């Protein structure tokens, strides 16, 4: 037939390891097309022959009927002369440019779950069951293209049945790289802290469950690393876990067997339900119910929210289905160190924490923690971006990149090393930014090791060699020092400018924008610590248009850990003689220390200045007596937010904006005076906390109006605060301004690397 045409199609996006080729195979066979499909590192390639009408039908059905977890970014087509293919086949993977998207790890799908609990299925109770719709990806892949010999599944040779599934294009496990069964796949073992094997396979599972019921702490090798788990109702066990993990206060996440079980303890909204049951299966911060008091009070002390999640792997499903209580499931680490991924390393690092180790022999290639999300302003906001989300790329607006085209330059490879706390790193390759999973605080040797490993693996995975390296302006950050040591063109970016750009990119906006960048700490252009900033971005430059009036941190880091010192500093600035104020929190401080701090303040001894709103939150929390010592970043602010507890108070404290010159200065003296008055009048914490938050919101409105900028970006760690963020959104809308907040890139320092990349793009 002479009207036969050949159509060549290249599909790019998240199309590997999601059942895309079998989908194409089925569609092509259905339409009786001849030709082939294959997978390369840069996407899916297809050649098909038929009449033009049928080929056009084929083409239009691809995006309509594609596998649910795939994502198509581009489809390129070209029409060619036929070469008379005689059948349709799936060809072997070929290599090529490494730009294909690696999928994140996905929670166990419905079909696999049915099999695990079906006594007649050959995968009955098998903890490593998966298919093309679910299972590990990012945590097992060594290099592209995504093929079994390039994953940690290469150690396992498929049995005959598994191989047949793997080769059958009509099977759900066609080319499911981690495909396995009890006969041929990874196996469980239960170890004691010396690494001696106590039980294997199903017995290991059974004995783990018995140990959990008895109140033991179990280290479990999960998908992206070890988790520490314990009976969430057992107060003694939870307390012990806190002690051993050196984590006195920070809330623990919980894992429940089912959504119904979560609903016993939490008020789950529709959106929260969607998030919990999504393939990402993150930890979701949800309001707890009054009747959740069967849980240990040590899970999340004084916290109206719980971080809850559903099982995301068959192993977790199997552990939970035989127990009738939720478990604490927290990262396998000490304090804020990175999560542990290796069996032997787990014995060393977690040997003093866990009573037993439930391990297996499938290696984890890179650490990936559980992700944390919170519903914010009616949609999800990612607070910790890891399992289920990383390394899904962020697309960069073509217009931002257009200058390279105009100058007929190719887009450079940019590596951004992020900040210091909640570190992530990112790379720009073509028009996409790949942000690493959450690495953590870079304050320990372990963390630094992990930082280097994540960086190396990102480079290796995408065959990426940076042309330019970007880091924070802070000279002491280890990430900045790493960047400087690389011998590459170096570009430094101010912290709050990076926050603002991160929020801008996350909302696909272009300058001009006004960023409200409020956080705990960031190195300022004037070498002081910033954190209460209004950043105006126009074209390729930024201006610090307004900021909080700086205050002193008596003893620097000591004030950060003991926010009562910040409270004293704020009081001193307003009243000088704070000893005579009859404030309850003063009674918790010795007169010796009161005098010492006063001397420091009066003589400016070791009292670095900061404009940080995060620290201001801490100071106010200490002043009203709801935060004495800080054991994790943001604790004071969190206590203050939670003190609000659903109240309808519209009042706020007075404040002043000093408008002599730019930057405008937000003077908080009247706020402190107002708070003191309220404390002395015995107003509740709830009322004071609410009025304080309302005040901050009015300050934002005020500055936004003075700046005459319409697009207002809420960024920085302070905007993880739901009351603050949602009230600001509401008030900005009332004033006909356009609020923007973070979505799938965190507002905290986990988003800094993205901002750094944008800064270096728009610089020139
Ligand atoms: Zn599945
Ligand atoms: Zn098998
Ligand atoms: Fe920050």
């Amino acid at each position: 037939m002479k009207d036969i045409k050949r159509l060549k199609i290249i599909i790019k996006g998240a199309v590997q390891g999601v059942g895309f080729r079998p989908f194409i195979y089925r569609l092509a066979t259905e339409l009786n097309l001849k030709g082939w499909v294959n997978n390369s590192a840069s996407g899916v390639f297809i050649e098909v022959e038929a009449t033009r009408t049928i080929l056009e039908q084929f083409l239009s059905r691809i995006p309509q009927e594609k596998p649910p977890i795939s994502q198509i970014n581009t489809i390129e087509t070209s029409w060619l002369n036929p070469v008379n293919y005689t059948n349709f086949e799936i060809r072997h993977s070929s290599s090529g440019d490494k730009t294909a998207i690696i999928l994140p790890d996905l929670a166990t799908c419905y079909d696999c779950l049915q099999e695990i609990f079906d006594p007649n299925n050959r995968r009955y109770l098998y903890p490593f069951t998966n298919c093309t719709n679910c299972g590990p990806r990012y945590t097992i892949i060594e290099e592209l293209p995504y093929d079994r010999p390039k994953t940690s599944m290469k150690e396992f040779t498929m049995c005959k049945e598994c191989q047949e599934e793997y080769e059958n294009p009509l099977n759900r496990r066609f080319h499911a790289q981690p495909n396995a069964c009890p006969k041929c796949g990874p196996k469980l073992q239960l170890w004691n802290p010396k690494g001696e094997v106590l039980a294997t396979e199903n017995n290991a599972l059974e004995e783990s469950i018995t140990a959990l019921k008895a109140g033991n702490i179990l280290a479990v090798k999960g998908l992206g690393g070890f988790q520490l788990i314990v009976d969430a109702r057992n107060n003694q066990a939870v307390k012990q876990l806190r002690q051993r993990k050196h984590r006195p206060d920070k809330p623990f996440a919980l894992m429940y067997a089912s959504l119904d079980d979560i609903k016993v303890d939490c008020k789950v909204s529709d959106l929260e339900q969607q998030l919990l049951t999504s393939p990402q299966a993150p930890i979701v911060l949800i309001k707890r119910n009054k009747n959740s008091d069967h849980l240990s009070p040590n899970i999340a002390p004084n916290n109206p929210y719980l971080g809850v999640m559903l099982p995301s792997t068959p192993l977790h499903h199997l552990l939970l289905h035989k127990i009738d209580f939720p478990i604490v499931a927290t990262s396998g680490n000490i304090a804020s160190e990175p999560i542990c991924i290796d069996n032997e390393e787990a014995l060393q690092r977690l040997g003093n924490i866990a009573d037993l180790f439930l391990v297996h022999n499938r290696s984890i290639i890179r650490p990936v923690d559980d992700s944390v999300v919170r519903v914010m302003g009616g949609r999800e906001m990612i607070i910790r971006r890891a399992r289920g989300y990383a390394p899904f790329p962020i697309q960069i607006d073509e217009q931002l990149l257009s200058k390279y085209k105009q100058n007929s330059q190719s887009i450079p490879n940019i590596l951004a090393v992020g900040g210091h706390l909640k570190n992530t790193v990112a790379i720009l390759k073509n028009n996409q930014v790949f942000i690493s999973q959450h690495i953590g605080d870079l304050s320990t040797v372990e963390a630094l090791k992990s930082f280097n490993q994540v960086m190396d693996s990102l480079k290796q995975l995408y065959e990426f060699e940076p042309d330019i390296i970007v880091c924070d302006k802070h000279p002491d950050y280890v990430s900045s020092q790493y960047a400087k040591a690389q011998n590459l063109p170096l570009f430094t970016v101010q912290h709050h400018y990076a926050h603002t750009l991160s929020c801008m990119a996350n909302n696909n906006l272009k300058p001009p924008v006004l960023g409200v960048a409020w956080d705990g700490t960031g190195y300022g252009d004037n070498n002081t610590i910033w954190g209460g900033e209004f950043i105006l971005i126009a074209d390729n430059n930024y201006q610090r248009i307004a900021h909080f009036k700086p205050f002193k941190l008596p003893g620097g880091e000591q004030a950060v850990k003991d926010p009562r010192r910040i409270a004293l500093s704020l009081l001193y600035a307003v009243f000088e003689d704070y000893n005579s104020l009859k404030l309850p929190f003063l009674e918790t401080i010795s007169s010796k220390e009161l005098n010492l701090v006063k001397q420091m303040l009066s003589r400016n001894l070791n009292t670095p200045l900061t404009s940080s709103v995060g620290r201001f939150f801490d100071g106010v929390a200490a002043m009203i007596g709801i935060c004495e010592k800080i054991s994790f970043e943001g604790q004071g602010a969190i206590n203050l937010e939670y003190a609000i507890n659903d109240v309808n108070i519209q009042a706020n404290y007075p404040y002043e904006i000093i408008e002599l010159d730019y930057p405008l200065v937000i003077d908080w003296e009247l706020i402190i005076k107002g708070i003191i008055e309220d404390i002395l009048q015995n107003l509740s914490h709830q009322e004071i906390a609410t009025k304080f938050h309302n005040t901050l919101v009015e300050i934002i409105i005020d500055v936004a109006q003075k700046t005459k900028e319409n697009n207002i970006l809420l960024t920085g760690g302070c905007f993880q605060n739901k009351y603050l963020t949602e009230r600001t959104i509401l008030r900005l809308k009332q004033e006909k301004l356009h609020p923007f907040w973070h979505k799938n890139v965190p507002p905290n320092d986990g988003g800094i690397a993205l901002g750094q990349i944008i800064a270096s793009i728009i610089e020139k």
Side-chain angles (χ1 to χ4, degrees), residues 122 159 162 181 184:
R122 68 189 192 91
C159 68
C162 286
C181 78
C184 65

Side-chain angles (χ1 to χ4, degrees), residues 100-153:
I101 290 167
I102 297 164
L103 269 201
D105 306 275
L106 301 170
T108 312
C109 73
Y110 176 83
D111 293 330
C112 286
L113 205 53
Q114 299 304 306
E115 293 177 344
I116 298 160
F117 290 116
D118 174 4
N120 299 317
N121 192 285
R122 68 189 192 91
R123 289 191 175 83
Y124 181 53
L125 302 183
Y126 183 56
F128 304 96
T129 303
N130 64 80
C131 72
T132 46
N133 300 320
C134 74
R137 299 280 190 285
Y138 189 47
T139 53
I140 58 164
I141 184 167
E142 287 166 348
E143 57 182 296
L144 285 169
Y146 178 56
D147 252 339
R148 191 171 174 111
K150 296 186 170 166
T151 70
S152 60
M153 284 303 292

